[in-house]
Amino acid sequence: MIAVVAAVIASLVAVLIRWLPESASEEMDRITFVYWFATIISIGIFALVAAVIIEAVWAFRVQPDDDTDGPPIHGNTKLEIAWTIVPAILVISIGVVSAVVLSKNANAGSDPLEVKVFAQQFAWKFEYPGKVQTEELVMPLHRSVKFEMQSADVIHSLWIPQMGQKQDVVPGITTKIVITPTRTGNFTLICTELCGLGHATMRAPVRVLDQAAFKRWLDDQRAAGAGAAAGAGAAAGGGAAAGGASGGQSGGGAAAAGDAALGKTTFASAGCGGCHTFKPAGTDAQVGPDLDNLVADAKKAGEPADQYIEQSIVDPGAVIVSGYQPGVMPTTFGKTLSPAELSGLVAFLSGKEAN
């Protein structure tokens, strides 16, 4: 009776409290099965142990003023063998089930979508086939997505709670993980490895679309990328022509606006808003200096604004703003940002109009 009562109480705690998020992937379904498999075993052991303890305390409790020693006993060999063999079988069962689930969760199948993941303090970037790069993760329904992940600086960790899978992103090596979404919707990707002062802001939006909608989205991204590349080429050509007509002066008005538009996107994808206040981007973080003062800071330093801003990005230790510590801002942006992204970010931060 005691064991039954303990089992009922433990079962209510297990069932009535929502310990896990609602599953949104095949991998999470398998992880949930392992969780409940281990939970049921744990409830059974808990009920048995609780019953024995309560019965022993009640039936064999010491009477008042009883200072005598208990009777010498050898024990029960059969009982000792049983409580050794049964837990061993249960632990082995959990290990076997877990190994099978790990193996299945690592299997991407015959036609996975391959997505490259780049992590850096404090942002995520995703690259799809066709060199499509986004700061939002979009996945097709009922198709395995194989992630190949790299870090530009420190150890990060990719985790979408509703999809179960979690994997460290380690500098110098490529780590992999597989996720197969089972329902559409919006989710959040979270970094679960403490990676610096902006760790709490290192998140990315996640969308799961049906396969037809995902194909349209990917086609649109490719078309937009091709159009942007063509526009950049035309602007560069126009700038060169204008420069020749004006005796070598830069004709980069349109190009500057285009750079600033790319810079606004780069500001978001590189995670700058996680540490800095910058009103044009709508951010108000205070880990690093206020970027609304960059032009004024450049004047104080006696440097051109563009040069000062670019140096602050690629070599953040060169000039330390009063009141802030050195060594906080990553020094990898000079390598992880393309020349176009870097020049665009400089244009955006210097106040040039963005499209």
Side-chain angles (χ1 to χ4, degrees):
M1 291 297 296
I2 295 173
V4 170
V5 172
V8 170
I9 293 174
S11 298
L12 290 175
V13 171
V15 173
L16 297 181
I17 298 176
R18 187 175 179 179
W19 299 101
L20 299 176
E22 182 182 354
S23 174
S25 74
E26 292 180 7
E27 293 75 19
M28 183 61 175
D29 291 341
R30 299 188 188 108
I31 291 171
T32 302
F33 172 79
V34 175
Y35 167 81
W36 284 112
F37 182 75
T39 298
I40 291 171
I41 291 174
S42 299
I43 289 173
I45 294 175
F46 168 77
L48 180 61
V49 171
V52 171
I53 290 175
I54 293 173
E55 170 66 16
V57 169
W58 177 257
F60 303 105
R61 67 189 186 280
V62 175
Q63 299 301 316
D65 301 324
D66 183 0
D67 296 327
T68 60
D69 293 334
I73 57 172
H74 167 69
N76 188 310
T77 302
K78 292 180 180 179
L79 182 60
E80 292 173 358
I81 292 173
W83 73 38
T84 300
I85 292 177
V86 172
I89 293 173
L90 296 178
V91 170
I92 291 171
S93 299
I94 295 174
V96 170
V97 170
S98 300
V100 171
V101 168
L102 282 172
S103 177
K104 289 186 176 181
N105 281 1
N107 183 9
S110 58
D111 183 32
L113 171 68
E114 295 188 357
V115 177
K116 294 181 179 179
V117 180
F118 302 96
Q120 68 181 60
Q121 296 169 310
F122 300 98
W124 298 95
K125 184 180 291 185
F126 311 97
E127 183 177 307
Y128 295 83
K131 300 296 183 181
V132 173
Q133 292 189 347
T134 67
E135 61 269 11
E136 175 190 33
L137 177 59
V138 181
M139 296 187 288
L141 185 67
H142 297 308
R143 183 182 178 187
S144 294
V145 181
K146 182 178 180 181
F147 296 100
E148 295 186 354
M149 304 182 292
Q150 296 179 334
S151 171
D153 35 51
V154 299
I155 298 177
H156 301 279
S157 186
L158 181 147
W159 183 46
I160 305 170
Q162 295 86 349
M163 299 184 186
Q165 296 280 66
K166 183 189 292 185
Q167 179 62 57
D168 282 354
V169 189
V170 183
I173 65 174
T174 299
T175 56
K176 300 179 181 180
I177 198 173
V178 177
I179 295 177
T180 309
T182 55
R183 61 184 175 93
T184 58
N186 297 316
F187 309 94
T188 301
L189 186 156
I190 303 170
C191 176
T192 59
E193 189 77 41
L194 183 60
C195 57
L197 289 176
H199 164 69
T201 68
M202 191 168 172
R203 302 187 171 210
V206 179
R207 279 192 297 154
V208 176
L209 307 174
D210 62 62
Q211 296 198 22
F214 174 79
K215 185 178 184 303
R216 289 194 299 270
W217 173 85
L218 190 57
D219 290 342
D220 290 343
Q221 295 297 312
R222 288 171 178 161
S246 60
Q249 294 181 355
S250 173
D259 282 347
L262 175 60
K264 185 175 183 179
T265 302
T266 304
F267 185 91
S269 64
C272 305
C275 294
H276 297 282
T277 292
F278 192 50
K279 291 180 182 177
T283 62
D284 58 2
Q286 298 180 359
V287 176
D290 188 337
L291 301 184
D292 292 313
N293 302 324
L294 275 175
V295 175
D297 290 342
K299 289 182 179 179
K300 290 181 182 178
E303 297 182 16
D306 288 359
Q307 179 180 329
Y308 177 82
I309 294 171
E310 181 172 347
Q311 182 188 46
S312 299
I313 296 171
V314 301
D315 186 13
V319 178
I320 303 298
V321 176
S322 177
Y324 293 92
Q325 296 180 348
V328 175
M329 180 170 169
T331 59
T332 56
F333 287 117
K335 298 178 181 178
T336 58
L337 297 180
S338 69
E341 289 174 326
L342 181 58
S343 64
L345 189 55
V346 171
F348 180 55
L349 292 174
S350 63
K352 296 189 172 99
E353 175 120 13
N355 291 330

